[in-house]
Amino acid sequence: MNTDFLKIQNKSISTKLAKSLLKNIKNSDFILGENVKILEKKLSKIVGSKYCCTVSSGTDALLIALKSIGLKKNEEVITSPFSWLSAVEMIVAEGAKPVFCDIDPLTFNINPNEITKLINKKTRAIIPISLFGQICDISKINKIAKKYKLKVIEDAAQSFGSKQENINSCNCADISTTSFFPTKPLGTLGDGGACFTNSDIYYKKFLRLRNHGQLKKGDFSTVGMNSRFDAIKAGFLLEKIKLFNKELLLRQKIYKNYCNLINNSSIDVQLPFIKPKTISVFAQFPLLTSERNRRKIQEFNKLSKKIKFPIFYKEPIYNLKPYKIYFQKHLLVTEKICKTIFCLPFHPYMNLNDQKKIIYQLKNIIKK
C-alpha cells in the first residue's frame, strides 16, 4: 500500500517534479544551493522553529544531533527499544551507551514515568521517539531533562506535522530530527532528513558537521562529515509540501473510517490511542490483538500477494544481535507489544472500498 501511495502522489505532481528536475539540470544546481535554502525556511515556518538544517538522511540527522551536544564515549543516552534502530545505531556509533526505557502501553512512545529510574551520573541525554505519527509526551520529558540537566533530542522521523496542545513536533526539544524517506508523511524521492533547533550554537554546528566541518569553503574548524542535502530532492520536497496539509486532512479521514469499520465489525483488536488535544499524522495505523491472532496475521502475510498487514516492530532493539550487549533487563510492556502489534495498510489516497476490503479480510483471518 505504501507503493500505491507513492505512485498516486507522484503521478498527481509528475509534471511539476519533472520541471523542478529540469530546472536543476539547466542551472547545474545539485548540492545544497537555492532550493535547499528555500526549503529550510519553509520547514522552519511549518514547525515554528528558528532554524532548520537539511541533511542526507534521518539517520545522519540523529548523528549530527549527538555530535552537536558533544556526546562523549561511555556516556549514556536514554531511549526507546521499540522503534526503528537509527537512534540506537548512532548512539553506539559515537561510542556511547544506549539505555532502554519501557514504553507507554497505549501510545507506544517512551514512558516518561520510567525515565527517572534510569538516570545516573553518566546520563547525558534523552532521545524520545515520536512514533507512528504521534508526538511523544514531550512536556514531561523536558521537565525531567531540565531537573537533571540533560539534553533532549526528539526523533521525529515519523511525526513531522504532528502536534500536542499547540506544541509542534520538530520544535519541542533542544534538537529535533526528522526523515524525508519516501514513505514518510512528508517524503522526497530518495533519502533525506533535517535537524531543527532554536539555538544559534547548535545550528552553526549542524552546518559545519554536514559539510566536512566547514561553514565557509576552506574554513575547517572541526571534524565533519559529508551529509549535504541534494538540491534536486529539495525541489521535489518543495512540490510535495504543497500537498501536505491536504494529505494530513485525508489521513484523519482514513483514520476515522477505519475506526468506524472496526467498531461495526466487532473485530478483536485494540484501536490506536490518540492523546487528547493531539493531531497525529498517522505514519502508520497500529492495532493490538492477541498473540494467537498476530500469528495468524503473520501466516497470512506470507501467502498474500495483495493485502499485507505490516508489523512494526517484531523485536525490542535490545534483542537484535548487534545490540544484545546493551541489554539491561526485560521491559515487559515493550515485549508484550512486540508480540501483539500489527498495522493496517494506510495512506491518504485510500478509498472507502479499499478500507472495507481490508477490514473484511482482517475479520476473516482472526475468525479462523
Side-chain angles (χ1 to χ4, degrees):
M1 284 291 184
N2 278 336
T3 304
D4 294 342
F5 163 45
L6 291 176
K7 286 178 180 178
I8 296 167
Q9 186 193 59
N10 291 336
K11 185 178 180 181
S12 71
I13 55 172
S14 59
T15 302
K16 293 178 180 179
L17 294 177
K19 284 182 179 178
S20 175
L21 174 60
L22 290 172
K23 184 178 178 181
N24 281 118
I25 293 171
K26 181 180 178 181
N27 295 338
S28 295
D29 186 15
F30 302 116
I31 305 296
L32 297 178
E34 192 62 26
N35 271 352
V36 172
K37 292 177 184 176
I38 295 169
L39 174 65
E40 288 173 345
K41 287 180 181 178
K42 284 186 179 291
L43 293 170
S44 286
K45 187 176 181 180
I46 289 169
V47 304
S49 71
K50 192 172 181 182
Y51 301 112
C52 169
C53 175
T54 52
V55 296
S56 60
S57 71
T59 302
D60 270 8
L62 285 162
L63 180 58
I64 287 171
L66 290 168
K67 286 181 178 293
S68 296
I69 67 168
L71 183 67
K72 294 181 176 62
K73 189 175 181 180
N74 296 323
E75 287 185 326
E76 295 183 359
V77 181
I78 297 170
T79 192
S80 172
F82 185 72
S83 174
W84 180 246
L85 50 76
S86 287
V88 175
E89 189 177 33
M90 293 302 98
I91 293 166
V92 172
E94 285 298 279
K97 178 184 176 183
V99 175
F100 295 107
C101 180
D102 214 348
I103 60 175
D104 184 292
L106 296 176
T107 66
F108 316 130
N109 284 326
I110 195 168
N111 188 340
N113 299 325
E114 299 295 319
I115 290 175
T116 307
K117 304 172 189 176
L118 303 172
I119 296 172
N120 60 47
K121 291 181 180 180
K122 290 185 178 181
T123 308
R124 181 63 189 284
I126 305 167
I127 301 184
I129 297 162
S130 297
L131 202 64
F132 298 145
Q134 181 171 198
I135 190 172
C136 58
D137 199 341
I138 197 67
S139 296
K140 286 185 180 179
I141 293 167
N142 282 336
K143 285 179 183 177
I144 293 168
K146 185 177 181 180
K147 180 178 179 180
Y148 292 95
K149 298 180 180 179
L150 305 175
K151 299 299 181 183
V152 178
I153 299 170
E154 181 204 16
D155 181 347
Q158 300 181 19
S159 62
F160 180 89
S162 71
K163 64 172 59 178
Q164 187 178 106
E165 295 183 347
N166 296 319
I167 297 172
N168 291 333
S169 184
C170 292
N171 185 30
C172 59
D174 295 294
I175 300 171
S176 290
T177 67
T178 196
S179 169
F180 302 125
F181 188 80
T183 55
K184 293 293 191 285
L186 179 62
T188 188
L189 273 67
D191 252 323
C195 297
F196 297 85
T197 189
N198 292 309
S199 162
D200 296 356
I201 293 171
Y202 286 145
Y203 178 60
K204 287 177 182 177
K205 287 182 178 181
F206 300 163
L207 295 176
R208 286 188 183 277
L209 286 165
R210 78 170 175 184
N211 192 20
H212 298 289
Q214 58 183 344
L215 268 177
K216 296 179 182 178
K217 192 172 182 179
D219 172 30
F220 300 99
S221 61
T222 189
V223 176
M225 52 199 283
N226 181 6
S227 187
R228 297 168 298 200
F229 196 53
D230 295 352
I232 291 173
K233 291 179 184 177
F236 293 153
L237 270 178
L238 286 170
E239 292 302 329
K240 293 202 173 193
I241 280 176
K242 296 172 185 176
L243 302 174
F244 188 71
N245 286 335
K246 173 189 170 184
E247 290 184 347
L248 180 55
L249 292 174
L250 288 172
R251 287 176 183 274
Q252 311 300 316
K253 180 181 176 182
I254 302 302
Y255 161 72
K256 290 176 183 176
N257 286 345
Y258 263 145
C259 289
N260 290 333
L261 289 168
I262 290 169
N263 286 329
N264 291 335
S265 299
S266 302
I267 303 175
D268 182 21
V269 293
Q270 178 181 308
L271 287 165
F273 175 79
I274 307 301
K275 292 190 74 172
K277 300 179 182 178
T278 295
I279 295 174
S280 174
V281 293
F282 294 105
Q284 305 291 342
F285 191 97
L287 297 170
L288 295 180
T289 189
S290 67
E291 289 185 42
R292 181 170 177 268
N293 285 341
R294 223 284 290 273
R295 287 194 292 271
K296 291 180 183 178
I297 290 164
Q298 285 179 292
E299 289 303 312
F300 173 83
N301 283 344
K302 290 177 185 177
L303 300 173
S304 177
K305 293 182 180 179
K306 291 186 178 180
I307 297 174
K308 299 279 188 182
F309 296 93
I311 296 174
F312 307 96
Y313 299 89
K314 296 179 183 178
E315 293 281 351
I317 295 174
Y318 56 70
N319 277 356
L320 303 179
K321 186 177 178 181
Y323 307 106
K324 284 185 177 181
I325 59 172
Y326 302 105
F327 171 83
Q328 294 107 36
K329 65 176 184 177
H330 291 286
L331 300 177
L332 300 183
V333 176
T334 296
E335 293 185 9
K336 181 179 180 182
I337 299 299
C338 285
K339 293 175 182 176
T340 56
I341 196 166
F342 70 100
C343 295
L344 298 181
F346 192 97
H347 68 75
Y349 298 107
M350 298 179 76
N351 61 51
L352 185 58
N353 282 334
D354 287 336
Q355 292 185 270
K356 286 179 178 179
K357 289 175 185 177
I358 288 163
I359 297 305
Y360 177 79
Q361 184 66 72
L362 177 62
K363 187 172 184 178
N364 285 339
I365 294 167
I366 289 178
K367 269 188 172 181
K368 290 180 181 177

